[in-house]
Amino acid sequence: SLYTMVRNVAHFYRTLGKKRVAMVKEIMTRENEIIESVMRMFFLWYSLDYGDTEKIKGRPKLPTLYQYAGYFLNTLGGRSYLMRRDPKVRTLAYYYCVLILDRANEAQINSDGIDIRPHIKSARTNISNQIGFIYQKQYLAQLERLIAKYKP
């Protein structure tokens, strides 16, 4: 519906606020050379098991990350948001959303029933076509493992 589409487009402004959205946009613009390493570090920080995860302040929980991954992968608002980003950022965000969706599947919390298979293939194509990724081989190897894991 039109109402849902407008709500999706304005999602970040509602949840993060105008100042935080502006800050994130500025970081992505000014730190473009290191954004790949920063995104990788964030994913590792989120995904590594440190034992008692309740003591780590600010660390998002998998259900929250799943909601954002689903937003980017499966809604018009999320997809249009990614399309307005730099191709490098868009490709990496899509890749990490796929990894989060895989974790959601493993934890059996894919409540929206998002089919991961087309997203894996799309991420593989985008990463293969992107020039200049430091960890491109690792990304492609991980996506190949996921393709094998989700073979019909």
Side-chain angles (χ1 to χ4, degrees):
S1 75
L2 181 59
Y3 175 74
T4 302
M5 187 172 71
V6 170
R7 283 188 50 81
N8 280 343
V9 170
H11 174 76
F12 285 119
Y13 285 98
R14 279 194 324 277
T15 58
L16 298 176
K18 187 177 180 180
K19 286 182 181 179
R20 287 187 181 139
V21 169
M23 180 185 67
V24 169
K25 286 173 76 173
E26 187 173 340
I27 289 169
M28 289 190 316
T29 301
R30 292 183 183 223
E31 305 297 341
N32 194 35
E33 298 100 33
I34 63 167
I35 198 73
E36 180 181 4
S37 295
V38 169
M39 290 176 80
R40 185 171 195 241
M41 227 180 308
F42 174 80
F43 184 78
L44 291 172
W45 171 72
Y46 139 73
S47 61
L48 290 176
D49 183 13
Y50 296 108
D52 188 6
T53 58
E54 296 300 316
K55 292 182 180 179
I56 300 173
K57 300 226 188 271
R59 186 171 164 175
K61 302 214 181 313
L62 182 57
T64 301
L65 290 172
Y66 167 74
Q67 291 298 317
Y68 279 100
Y71 171 75
F72 286 126
L73 295 174
N74 243 24
T75 69
L76 184 58
R79 292 177 72 92
S80 68
Y81 179 83
L82 287 180
M83 290 307 292
R84 294 190 310 268
R85 302 287 70 86
D86 174 81
K88 185 180 194 179
V89 171
R90 176 178 54 241
T91 301
L92 290 170
Y94 199 89
Y95 169 76
Y96 286 114
C97 285
V98 168
L99 296 185
I100 290 167
L101 183 55
D102 174 53
R103 290 183 181 244
N105 283 335
E106 287 179 359
Q108 298 180 337
I109 63 165
N110 185 356
S111 58
D112 296 325
I114 301 169
D115 184 1
I116 193 171
R117 292 171 296 185
H119 297 296
I120 296 169
K121 290 177 182 174
S122 181
R124 181 181 62 180
T125 300
N126 292 335
I127 288 173
S128 295
N129 293 329
Q130 188 71 38
I131 297 171
F133 278 146
I134 298 167
Y135 305 106
Q136 187 173 31
K137 288 181 183 176
Q138 289 97 325
Y139 302 146
L140 292 172
Q142 178 64 29
L143 291 168
E144 291 302 325
R145 284 190 289 276
L146 291 178
I147 287 171
K149 178 179 180 179
Y150 290 99
K151 216 173 228 174

